[in-house]
Amino acid sequence: KRECKFVTHLEAIPGERPDIHLVKEYITYEDGTRKPNFNVIKDFKRDFYITKPHYQKYKQKKESESMDRLNMYMSTESDLGKECCSRLGGYKYVGKTNLWDAKESQYLYGVEIDSATILKHMYTSKYPNSFTPYSVAVLDIETNIDTGEIVLISVCDHNKVYTGILESMLKGRNKPIEQLEYLYKKYIPETDISKNITPEFIICKDEPTLIKTIISKTHEMKPDFLAIWNMNYDIPYIVSRCELYGIRPEDIFSDPSVPKEWREFNYKEGQSSRTTASGVAKIFGPWEQWHVIRTCASYYIIDAMCSYYYVRVGTKQIPGGYSLNNILDVELGSKYKKLKFDHLNVTQSDGIDWHKHMIENHPLEYTIYNMWDVMSVLELDS
């Protein structure tokens, strides 16, 4: 059987790509094994309905109409406006191609439901009772304030944590992988989740390789959600570094199975303020903003901090704010907070100076710190 998790529609671009639907699905085989799949559907045609001419005698829109009074037509989502206007006919719709122009007709039915919803309904109708919990992976970056480089990227799901390390940060340390494996066992808290996660350290020769390598791991994982705590820092930073090296963000974040000419990436920041009816300006905190990413991946990228806040809207504000460290302490206790390395005699436990000191003097421990940042969000999610 097949289970559809979500569908993303990409409009046709004449001469470049057809009408496309990207379906994140799970396939369950006869032996019970279950695997994620990314299904690309080209030129899917959905239905719409128009009242038969001899019944077109009413002036107001109806909530419903009998099927025997309607003609059914088929169209891609990209051409829906043009097809509706064409089928409605008459001088009123000559030259019109926008769906909004057709929607005003009292004789048009079915266009309020988009093709992505129709496709998902087709899955659930054919394979009922196939719902399973959504899967989550978590990503986090660390940057060098002095050079501007991304020096660490970790991504983690319930089976694996991959950490990419910029080679220059290690400064020729001897057998760094062996040291990192030792420090991982020493400092990562043992929990029901962490004990089932296998670490893999990947040393990357330069920053573009680091970005490409770890983002490619997210495509291999194929989670349903890729969560980032305060992603309005991580995503724009990754995008800016890609652009610095002439790398198209859509090539990084799109699933490798999507042809290059079809790919896209769009990042829309959430509203940061609004003016109330009384004319007072309200500034939204970072946790109150909802950022949206549109890309051709097998997962949705979401801000874990904003998600945490929005499922609790209407409750009391969290004392201490919405930093990951504070939320871990509030929800799970001090055992799960960000890692500290008291024996290193670092005077500050956070802030720019602490991060600079760790990169310069203790890059191996700093790597383990980054790994726990993603693993701890999984603990929080559970």
Side-chain angles (χ1 to χ4, degrees), residues 2-10 19-27 35-42 44 119 123 127 222 255 257-259 262 296-299:
R2 293 173 182 262
E3 177 193 358
C4 173
K5 284 299 185 183
F6 60 82
V7 182
T8 301
H9 174 246
L10 304 178
D19 182 274
I20 301 169
H21 288 81
L22 307 174
V23 183
K24 170 61 179 293
E25 64 181 12
Y26 283 88
I27 303 174
K35 293 183 179 180
N37 186 51
F38 195 47
N39 190 11
V40 180
I41 300 175
K42 295 188 291 184
F44 169 74
L119 261 172
Y123 270 83
Y127 305 103
K222 285 185 170 54
D255 191 274
S257 66
V258 178
W262 295 359
C296 306
S298 62
Y299 46 74

Side-chain angles (χ1 to χ4, degrees), residues 9 26 61 118 124 146 164 166 199 242 262 282 289 294 324 326:
H9 174 246
Y26 283 88
K61 273 187 175 289
I118 291 170
T124 55
D146 292 330
L166 192 62
C242 285
W262 295 359
K282 175 177 172 53
Q289 301 172 30
R294 178 180 171 83
L324 177 58
N326 185 60

